[in-house]
Amino acid sequence: MAELGARLLVADDNKVNRLLLGRTLELQGHQVSSADNGRRALQMLQAERFDLLLLDLEMPELDGFAVLEQLAADAELRDLPVIVTSSLEGVAHVARCIELGADDYLHKPVNPVLLKARVGSSLEKKRLRDQQKEQVKRFATSAVAQDLAQSGFSLGGRRVQ
């Protein structure tokens, strides 16, 4: 079940898109903040705790691809779920986003039913990852937990950071 009242950040340079997406998410029970470019989004993510980022690709100052790259390089933010919302067509854009760490990709205009399902799924995965991290901290020494956090490990044959 998706976590209600999650803190979401919508990063989109188009004010109408930010407002529509934000309102839709608020009606679904979430707390929504917004950023009008990638640089501002990163500043907000570093200053506050968010549960999910909805990210446009075509933005001034720092585009969505650059934001994804910086999130992946940041140990504190690399596990933040990201759903890309973009009007860019083509499998190559979707694949690049997923390769850079995005959890999902929704084409604009975003369908509210699909948005709710994807947000719920991403928040559930985040909840499970957070539980996993908490268990590692609880049952491993601080040195082991720190080493696992830095180097990652395998669960079910899949590499986990």
Coordinates of all heavy atoms in Angstrom, one line a residue, residues 32-104:
V32 N 3.1 18.5 -1.6 CA 3.8 18.8 -2.8 C 4.6 20.1 -2.7 O 4.0 21.1 -2.4 CB 2.9 18.8 -4.1 CG1 3.7 19.0 -5.3 CG2 2.2 17.4 -4.2
S33 N 5.8 20.1 -3.1 CA 6.6 21.3 -3.3 C 7.0 21.3 -4.8 O 7.0 20.3 -5.5 CB 7.9 21.3 -2.4 OG 7.5 21.3 -1.1
S34 N 7.5 22.5 -5.3 CA 7.9 22.5 -6.7 C 9.1 23.4 -6.9 O 9.4 24.2 -6.1 CB 6.7 23.1 -7.5 OG 6.4 24.4 -7.2
A35 N 9.8 23.0 -8.0 CA 11.0 23.8 -8.4 C 10.8 24.0 -9.9 O 10.3 23.2 -10.6 CB 12.2 22.9 -8.1
D36 N 11.3 25.2 -10.3 CA 11.2 25.6 -11.7 C 12.4 25.3 -12.6 O 12.4 25.6 -13.8 CB 10.8 27.1 -11.8 CG 11.8 28.0 -11.3 OD1 12.9 27.5 -10.8 OD2 11.6 29.2 -11.3
N37 N 13.4 24.7 -12.0 CA 14.5 24.2 -12.8 C 15.3 23.1 -12.1 O 15.1 22.9 -10.9 CB 15.4 25.4 -13.3 CG 16.1 26.1 -12.1 OD1 16.9 25.4 -11.4 ND2 15.8 27.3 -11.9
G38 N 16.2 22.5 -12.8 CA 16.9 21.4 -12.1 C 17.9 21.8 -11.0 O 18.0 21.1 -10.0
R39 N 18.5 23.0 -11.2 CA 19.4 23.4 -10.1 C 18.6 23.7 -8.8 O 19.1 23.3 -7.7 CB 20.1 24.7 -10.6 CG 21.2 25.2 -9.6 CD 22.1 26.2 -10.2 NE 22.5 26.1 -11.6 CZ 23.5 25.2 -12.0 NH1 24.0 24.4 -11.1 NH2 23.8 25.1 -13.3
R40 N 17.5 24.3 -8.9 CA 16.7 24.6 -7.7 C 16.2 23.3 -7.1 O 16.1 23.2 -5.9 CB 15.5 25.5 -8.1 CG 14.6 25.8 -7.0 CD 15.2 26.8 -6.0 NE 14.3 27.0 -4.9 CZ 14.6 26.8 -3.6 NH1 15.8 26.5 -3.3 NH2 13.7 27.0 -2.7
A41 N 15.8 22.3 -8.0 CA 15.4 21.0 -7.4 C 16.5 20.4 -6.6 O 16.2 19.9 -5.5 CB 14.9 20.1 -8.6
L42 N 17.7 20.4 -7.1 CA 18.8 19.8 -6.4 C 19.0 20.5 -5.0 O 19.3 19.9 -4.0 CB 20.1 19.8 -7.2 CG 20.2 18.7 -8.3 CD1 21.4 18.9 -9.1 CD2 20.2 17.3 -7.6
Q43 N 19.0 21.8 -5.1 CA 19.1 22.6 -3.8 C 18.1 22.2 -2.8 O 18.4 22.0 -1.6 CB 19.0 24.1 -4.1 CG 20.2 24.6 -4.9 CD 20.0 26.1 -5.4 OE1 18.9 26.6 -5.4 NE2 21.1 26.7 -5.8
M44 N 16.8 22.1 -3.3 CA 15.7 21.7 -2.4 C 15.9 20.3 -1.8 O 15.7 20.0 -0.6 CB 14.4 21.8 -3.1 CG 14.0 23.3 -3.4 SD 12.5 23.4 -4.3 CE 11.3 23.0 -3.1
L45 N 16.4 19.4 -2.7 CA 16.6 18.0 -2.2 C 17.7 17.9 -1.2 O 17.7 17.0 -0.3 CB 16.9 17.1 -3.5 CG 15.7 16.9 -4.4 CD1 16.2 16.2 -5.7 CD2 14.7 16.0 -3.8
Q46 N 18.7 18.7 -1.3 CA 19.8 18.7 -0.4 C 19.5 19.4 0.9 O 20.0 19.0 2.0 CB 21.0 19.4 -1.0 CG 21.6 18.6 -2.1 CD 22.6 19.3 -3.0 OE1 22.6 20.5 -3.0 NE2 23.3 18.6 -3.8
A47 N 18.5 20.3 0.9 CA 18.1 21.0 2.1 C 16.9 20.3 2.9 O 16.8 20.5 4.1 CB 17.7 22.4 1.7
E48 N 16.1 19.6 2.2 CA 14.9 19.0 2.8 C 14.8 17.5 2.5 O 15.4 17.1 1.5 CB 13.6 19.7 2.3 CG 13.6 21.2 2.5 CD 12.4 21.8 1.9 OE1 11.3 21.3 2.1 OE2 12.5 22.8 1.1
R49 N 14.0 16.8 3.2 CA 13.8 15.4 2.9 C 12.5 15.3 2.1 O 11.4 15.8 2.4 CB 13.6 14.6 4.2 CG 13.4 13.1 4.0 CD 13.0 12.4 5.2 NE 11.7 12.7 5.6 CZ 10.5 12.2 5.1 NH1 10.6 11.3 4.0 NH2 9.4 12.5 5.5
F50 N 12.6 14.6 0.9 CA 11.5 14.3 0.1 C 11.5 12.8 -0.1 O 12.5 12.1 -0.1 CB 11.6 15.0 -1.3 CG 11.4 16.5 -1.2 CD1 12.5 17.3 -1.1 CD2 10.1 17.0 -1.3 CE1 12.3 18.7 -1.0 CE2 9.9 18.4 -1.2 CZ 11.0 19.2 -1.0
D51 N 10.3 12.3 -0.4 CA 10.1 10.9 -0.6 C 10.1 10.5 -2.1 O 10.3 9.3 -2.4 CB 8.7 10.4 -0.1 CG 8.7 10.6 1.4 OD1 9.6 10.2 2.1 OD2 7.7 11.3 1.9
L52 N 9.9 11.5 -3.0 CA 9.9 11.2 -4.4 C 10.1 12.5 -5.2 O 9.6 13.5 -4.8 CB 8.5 10.6 -4.8 CG 8.2 10.3 -6.2 CD1 8.9 9.0 -6.7 CD2 6.7 10.1 -6.4
L53 N 10.7 12.3 -6.4 CA 10.9 13.5 -7.3 C 10.2 13.2 -8.6 O 10.4 12.1 -9.2 CB 12.4 13.7 -7.5 CG 12.8 14.7 -8.6 CD1 12.3 16.1 -8.3 CD2 14.3 14.7 -8.8
L54 N 9.4 14.1 -9.0 CA 8.8 14.0 -10.4 C 9.6 15.0 -11.2 O 9.6 16.2 -10.9 CB 7.3 14.3 -10.3 CG 6.6 13.2 -9.7 CD1 6.0 13.6 -8.3 CD2 5.5 12.6 -10.6
L55 N 10.2 14.6 -12.2 CA 11.3 15.4 -12.9 C 11.0 15.5 -14.4 O 10.9 14.5 -15.1 CB 12.6 14.7 -12.7 CG 13.9 15.3 -13.3 CD1 14.2 16.6 -12.7 CD2 15.0 14.3 -13.2
D56 N 10.9 16.8 -14.9 CA 10.9 17.1 -16.3 C 12.3 17.0 -16.8 O 13.3 17.2 -16.1 CB 10.3 18.5 -16.5 CG 10.1 18.8 -17.9 OD1 9.8 17.9 -18.8 OD2 10.2 20.0 -18.3
L57 N 12.4 16.7 -18.1 CA 13.7 16.6 -18.7 C 14.2 17.9 -19.3 O 15.4 18.3 -19.2 CB 13.8 15.5 -19.8 CG 13.6 14.1 -19.4 CD1 13.6 13.2 -20.5 CD2 14.7 13.7 -18.4
E58 N 13.3 18.7 -20.0 CA 13.7 19.9 -20.7 C 13.5 21.1 -19.7 O 12.4 21.6 -19.7 CB 12.9 20.0 -21.9 CG 13.1 18.9 -22.9 CD 12.3 19.0 -24.1 OE1 11.0 18.9 -24.0 OE2 12.9 19.2 -25.2
M59 N 14.6 21.5 -19.1 CA 14.5 22.6 -18.1 C 15.8 23.5 -18.3 O 16.8 23.0 -18.7 CB 14.4 22.1 -16.7 CG 13.2 21.4 -16.3 SD 13.1 21.0 -14.6 CE 14.4 19.8 -14.4
P60 N 15.6 24.8 -18.0 CA 16.8 25.6 -18.0 C 17.8 25.4 -16.9 O 17.4 24.7 -15.9 CB 16.2 27.0 -17.9 CG 14.9 26.9 -17.2 CD 14.4 25.5 -17.6
E61 N 19.0 25.9 -17.0 CA 20.0 25.8 -16.0 C 20.6 24.4 -15.8 O 21.8 24.2 -15.9 CB 19.6 26.4 -14.6 CG 19.3 27.9 -14.7 CD 19.1 28.5 -13.3 OE1 19.9 28.1 -12.4 OE2 18.2 29.3 -13.2
L62 N 19.8 23.4 -15.5 CA 20.2 22.1 -15.4 C 19.0 21.2 -15.8 O 18.0 21.2 -15.2 CB 20.5 21.8 -13.9 CG 21.4 20.7 -13.5 CD1 22.8 20.9 -14.1 CD2 21.6 20.6 -12.0
D63 N 19.2 20.4 -16.9 CA 18.1 19.6 -17.4 C 18.0 18.3 -16.6 O 18.8 18.0 -15.7 CB 18.3 19.3 -18.9 CG 19.5 18.4 -19.2 OD1 20.0 17.7 -18.3 OD2 19.8 18.2 -20.4
G64 N 16.9 17.6 -16.9 CA 16.6 16.4 -16.1 C 17.7 15.3 -16.2 O 17.9 14.6 -15.2
F65 N 18.3 15.2 -17.3 CA 19.4 14.2 -17.4 C 20.5 14.6 -16.5 O 21.1 13.7 -15.8 CB 19.9 14.1 -18.8 CG 18.9 13.6 -19.8 CD1 18.5 14.4 -20.9 CD2 18.5 12.3 -19.8 CE1 17.6 13.9 -21.8 CE2 17.5 11.8 -20.7 CZ 17.1 12.6 -21.7
A66 N 20.9 15.8 -16.4 CA 22.0 16.3 -15.5 C 21.6 16.1 -14.0 O 22.4 15.7 -13.2 CB 22.3 17.7 -15.8
V67 N 20.3 16.3 -13.7 CA 19.8 16.1 -12.4 C 19.9 14.6 -12.0 O 20.4 14.3 -10.9 CB 18.3 16.6 -12.2 CG1 17.8 16.1 -10.9 CG2 18.2 18.1 -12.4
L68 N 19.5 13.7 -12.9 CA 19.7 12.3 -12.6 C 21.1 11.9 -12.4 O 21.4 11.1 -11.5 CB 19.1 11.5 -13.8 CG 17.6 11.5 -13.9 CD1 17.1 10.9 -15.2 CD2 16.9 10.8 -12.7
E69 N 22.0 12.4 -13.2 CA 23.5 12.1 -13.0 C 24.0 12.6 -11.7 O 24.7 11.9 -11.0 CB 24.3 12.8 -14.1 CG 24.1 12.2 -15.5 CD 24.7 13.0 -16.6 OE1 25.2 14.1 -16.4 OE2 24.7 12.5 -17.8
Q70 N 23.5 13.8 -11.2 CA 24.0 14.3 -9.9 C 23.4 13.5 -8.8 O 24.0 13.3 -7.7 CB 23.7 15.8 -9.8 CG 24.6 16.6 -10.7 CD 24.7 18.1 -10.4 OE1 24.4 18.5 -9.3 NE2 25.0 18.9 -11.4
L71 N 22.1 13.1 -8.9 CA 21.5 12.3 -7.9 C 22.2 11.0 -7.7 O 22.5 10.5 -6.6 CB 20.0 12.0 -8.2 CG 19.1 13.2 -8.1 CD1 17.7 12.8 -8.6 CD2 19.0 13.8 -6.7
A72 N 22.6 10.4 -8.8 CA 23.3 9.1 -8.8 C 24.7 9.2 -8.1 O 25.2 8.3 -7.5 CB 23.5 8.5 -10.2
A73 N 25.3 10.4 -8.2 CA 26.6 10.6 -7.7 C 26.6 11.0 -6.2 O 27.6 11.0 -5.5 CB 27.4 11.7 -8.5
D74 N 25.4 11.3 -5.7 CA 25.2 11.7 -4.3 C 24.8 10.6 -3.4 O 23.6 10.1 -3.6 CB 24.2 12.9 -4.3 CG 24.1 13.6 -2.9 OD1 24.2 12.9 -1.9 OD2 23.9 14.8 -2.9
A75 N 25.6 10.2 -2.5 CA 25.3 9.0 -1.6 C 24.0 9.2 -0.8 O 23.3 8.3 -0.5 CB 26.4 8.7 -0.6
E76 N 23.7 10.5 -0.5 CA 22.5 10.8 0.3 C 21.2 10.8 -0.5 O 20.1 10.5 0.0 CB 22.6 12.1 1.0 CG 23.7 12.2 2.0 CD 23.4 11.3 3.2 OE1 22.3 11.3 3.7 OE2 24.4 10.6 3.7
L77 N 21.3 11.0 -1.8 CA 20.2 11.2 -2.7 C 20.0 10.0 -3.7 O 19.0 10.0 -4.4 CB 20.2 12.5 -3.4 CG 20.1 13.7 -2.5 CD1 20.3 15.0 -3.3 CD2 18.8 13.8 -1.8
R78 N 21.0 9.2 -3.8 CA 20.9 8.2 -4.9 C 19.7 7.2 -4.8 O 19.3 6.6 -5.8 CB 22.2 7.4 -5.1 CG 22.5 6.3 -4.0 CD 23.7 5.5 -4.3 NE 24.8 6.3 -4.6 CZ 26.0 6.2 -4.0 NH1 26.1 5.3 -3.0 NH2 27.0 7.0 -4.3
D79 N 19.2 7.0 -3.6 CA 18.1 6.1 -3.5 C 16.7 6.8 -3.6 O 15.7 6.1 -3.5 CB 18.2 5.4 -2.1 CG 19.3 4.4 -2.1 OD1 19.7 3.8 -3.2 OD2 19.8 4.1 -1.0
L80 N 16.7 8.1 -3.8 CA 15.4 8.8 -3.9 C 14.7 8.3 -5.2 O 15.3 8.4 -6.3 CB 15.7 10.3 -4.0 CG 14.5 11.2 -4.2 CD1 13.6 11.2 -3.0 CD2 14.9 12.6 -4.7
P81 N 13.5 7.9 -5.1 CA 12.8 7.5 -6.3 C 12.5 8.7 -7.2 O 12.2 9.8 -6.7 CB 11.4 6.9 -5.8 CG 11.6 6.7 -4.3 CD 12.7 7.7 -3.9
V82 N 12.7 8.5 -8.5 CA 12.4 9.6 -9.5 C 11.5 9.0 -10.6 O 11.8 8.0 -11.2 CB 13.8 10.0 -10.1 CG1 13.5 11.1 -11.2 CG2 14.7 10.5 -9.1
I83 N 10.5 9.8 -10.8 CA 9.6 9.5 -12.0 C 9.8 10.7 -12.9 O 9.5 11.8 -12.6 CB 8.1 9.4 -11.6 CG1 7.9 8.2 -10.6 CG2 7.2 9.2 -12.8 CD1 6.5 8.1 -10.0
V84 N 10.2 10.4 -14.1 CA 10.4 11.4 -15.2 C 9.1 11.6 -15.8 O 8.4 10.7 -16.2 CB 11.5 10.9 -16.2 CG1 11.6 11.9 -17.4 CG2 12.9 10.8 -15.5
T85 N 8.7 12.9 -16.0 CA 7.5 13.3 -16.7 C 8.0 14.2 -17.8 O 8.5 15.3 -17.6 CB 6.5 14.1 -15.8 OG1 7.2 15.2 -15.3 CG2 6.0 13.2 -14.7
S86 N 7.8 13.7 -19.1 CA 8.3 14.5 -20.2 C 7.5 14.3 -21.4 O 6.8 13.3 -21.6 CB 9.8 14.0 -20.5 OG 10.3 14.7 -21.6
S87 N 7.6 15.3 -22.3 CA 6.9 15.2 -23.6 C 7.9 14.7 -24.7 O 7.5 14.5 -25.8 CB 6.4 16.6 -24.0 OG 7.4 17.5 -24.1
L88 N 9.1 14.4 -24.3 CA 10.1 13.8 -25.3 C 9.6 12.4 -25.6 O 9.4 11.6 -24.8 CB 11.5 13.8 -24.7 CG 12.2 15.1 -24.5 CD1 13.6 14.9 -23.9 CD2 12.4 15.8 -25.8
E89 N 9.6 12.2 -26.9 CA 9.2 10.8 -27.4 C 10.4 10.0 -27.7 O 11.5 10.6 -27.9 CB 8.3 11.0 -28.7 CG 7.0 11.7 -28.4 CD 6.0 10.8 -27.6 OE1 6.1 9.6 -27.7 OE2 5.2 11.4 -26.9
G90 N 10.2 8.7 -27.8 CA 11.3 7.9 -28.2 C 11.8 7.0 -27.1 O 12.0 7.5 -26.0
V91 N 12.1 5.8 -27.4 CA 12.6 4.8 -26.5 C 14.0 5.2 -25.9 O 14.3 4.9 -24.8 CB 12.6 3.4 -27.1 CG1 13.3 2.4 -26.2 CG2 11.2 3.0 -27.5
A92 N 14.8 5.8 -26.8 CA 16.2 6.2 -26.4 C 16.1 7.1 -25.1 O 17.0 7.0 -24.2 CB 16.9 6.9 -27.5
H93 N 15.2 8.1 -25.1 CA 15.1 9.0 -23.9 C 14.7 8.2 -22.7 O 15.2 8.4 -21.6 CB 14.1 10.1 -24.2 CG 14.5 11.0 -25.3 ND1 15.6 11.8 -25.2 CD2 14.0 11.3 -26.5 CE1 15.8 12.5 -26.3 NE2 14.8 12.2 -27.1
V94 N 13.7 7.3 -22.8 CA 13.2 6.5 -21.7 C 14.4 5.6 -21.2 O 14.6 5.6 -20.0 CB 12.0 5.7 -22.1 CG1 11.6 4.8 -21.0 CG2 10.9 6.5 -22.6
A95 N 15.1 5.0 -22.1 CA 16.2 4.1 -21.7 C 17.3 4.9 -21.0 O 17.8 4.4 -20.0 CB 16.7 3.4 -22.9
R96 N 17.6 6.0 -21.5 CA 18.7 6.8 -20.9 C 18.3 7.2 -19.5 O 19.1 7.1 -18.5 CB 19.0 8.1 -21.7 CG 20.1 8.9 -21.1 CD 20.6 10.0 -22.0 NE 21.6 10.8 -21.4 CZ 21.8 12.0 -21.5 NH1 21.0 12.7 -22.4 NH2 22.8 12.7 -20.9
C97 N 17.0 7.6 -19.3 CA 16.5 8.0 -17.9 C 16.6 6.8 -17.0 O 17.1 6.9 -15.8 CB 15.1 8.5 -18.0 SG 14.9 10.1 -18.7
I98 N 16.2 5.6 -17.4 CA 16.3 4.4 -16.6 C 17.7 4.1 -16.3 O 18.1 3.7 -15.1 CB 15.5 3.2 -17.2 CG1 14.1 3.6 -17.5 CG2 15.7 2.0 -16.4 CD1 13.2 3.9 -16.3
E99 N 18.6 4.2 -17.3 CA 20.0 3.9 -17.1 C 20.6 4.9 -16.0 O 21.5 4.5 -15.3 CB 20.8 4.0 -18.4 CG 20.5 2.8 -19.3 CD 21.0 3.0 -20.7 OE1 21.5 4.1 -21.0 OE2 20.9 2.1 -21.5
L100 N 20.1 6.1 -16.0 CA 20.7 7.1 -15.1 C 20.0 7.0 -13.7 O 20.4 7.7 -12.8 CB 20.5 8.5 -15.6 CG 21.3 8.9 -16.9 CD1 20.9 10.2 -17.4 CD2 22.8 8.9 -16.5
G101 N 19.1 6.0 -13.5 CA 18.6 5.8 -12.2 C 17.1 6.1 -12.0 O 16.6 5.9 -10.9
A102 N 16.4 6.6 -13.0 CA 15.0 6.9 -12.8 C 14.2 5.6 -12.6 O 14.6 4.6 -13.2 CB 14.4 7.7 -14.0
D103 N 13.2 5.7 -11.8 CA 12.4 4.5 -11.5 C 11.3 4.3 -12.6 O 10.9 3.2 -12.9 CB 11.6 4.7 -10.2 CG 12.6 4.6 -9.0 OD1 13.3 5.6 -8.8 OD2 12.6 3.6 -8.4
D104 N 10.9 5.4 -13.2 CA 9.8 5.3 -14.2 C 9.8 6.5 -15.1 O 10.5 7.5 -14.8 CB 8.4 5.3 -13.4 CG 7.4 4.4 -14.1 OD1 7.5 4.3 -15.3 OD2 6.6 3.8 -13.3

